[in-house]
Amino acid sequence: MFEVKDIKETALAENPVVERMSKYNHEQLLFCNDNATGLKAIIAVHNTTLGPALGGTRMWSYNNELEALNDVLRLSRGMTYKNSISGLNLGGGKAVIIGDARKQKSEALFRRFGKFVESLGGKYITAEDVGISPQDMTWVNMETNNVVGLPGKSGDPSPVTAYGCYMGMKAAAKIQYGSDSLEGKKVAVQGVGHVGEYLVKHLKDEGAQIFISDIHEETLKRVSSEYGATVVGLDDIYGIDMDIYAPCALGATVNDATLEQLNCAIIAGAANNQLADESVHGEIVKSKGMIYVPDFMLNAGGVINCYAEVKGLSAEWAMGKASEIYDRTLEIVNRSNSEGIPTYKIANKIAEERIESIGKVKLPL
Ligand code: NAD
């Protein structure tokens, strides 16, 4: 339904904006400019079949507008799939603010951005993403109620994200080893930031052997001593003797080079877009007998937490919903095995089928 041809690198003249939208099947793009505050932003609403489009706002120093456009198109489409497969009544959207998050933030800029969000009349609900703090969101909230992740509300989504990842990892272990116990399993967690550290805690509680890497020496030292994890080098992590690789830092770490070294049974982590090229690396992973747990399904705890805030549901509800990732992982991996299709394709199919099916419910009476 949302087949995407790779048009990332093509010039705008070759693939103008609406053509790009059509390739990704986006509903709406809102380009925002305000010279007085310096705001330059793009809000992308990918699909609202299931409900208002929810997805964070990212502030980033893009090299050019094309980079920002492609990022917002790709990220908003990803939110449609993530929200759909998680059973949430939310569509997919995302926003990017073009600028340096360390230098260009101001109350006025975020309030102006809030006015643009408000102009969409509830079709898009925003939240924090890379480069955005809870304080920034309180400014956005002065101009619109279509914001989640505010201080004092649903709070840091990372514990819910980590819990969902842990549940999915256990389900994958059940299929790969016949038991979902992670006791004694060698798990390599790449990046022990917000999500990574919570994941390490779950693993420690279950008696896994934990290996960690991070670019921050201080973080590494602290997490290593607190949870008894073994520190490994940034590039060494792919080649170590491990059962489970849990990428919790960057995207695209499952690629041609790392797949020559990776010798694990399961790939399950919180990072977005772990497969450098889905169609290539999803197939290689499957052919090697590894289970790749699709990232957008596995790391949905964060958006589940946001949904709880939108609907006024409790933190307990969010954790319960995140625990459903266990059964969803079983379903995807079992289908992947029985149909001989990579897990990412099964996950995409499930997300698309729900949109198609609920789309029928929403036809006008
Ligand atoms: P974070 O910034 O708190 O943590 C990322 C950690 O990775 C940092 O400690 C950083 O130093 C480390 N890192 C960066 N480059 C690295 C490298 N090359 N090797 C090893 N470590 C490196 O971010 P987070 O909130 O923990 O999110 C982690 C990942 O999960 C991100 O990809 C994020 O997009 C994704 N994610 C997070 C959530 C959430 O709820 N926070 C939800 C969904 C997805």
Side-chain angles (χ1 to χ4, degrees), residues 244-256:
I244 301 171
Y245 168 51
C248 294
L250 312 166
T253 62
V254 181
N255 54 44
D256 289 340

Side-chain angles (χ1 to χ4, degrees), residues 157-158 161 191 193-195 213-216 234 248-250 270-272 299:
S158 310
T161 305
H194 287 95
V195 180
S213 72
D214 202 290
I215 50 172
H216 283 135
L234 291 178
C248 294
L250 312 166
N272 285 308
N299 69 16

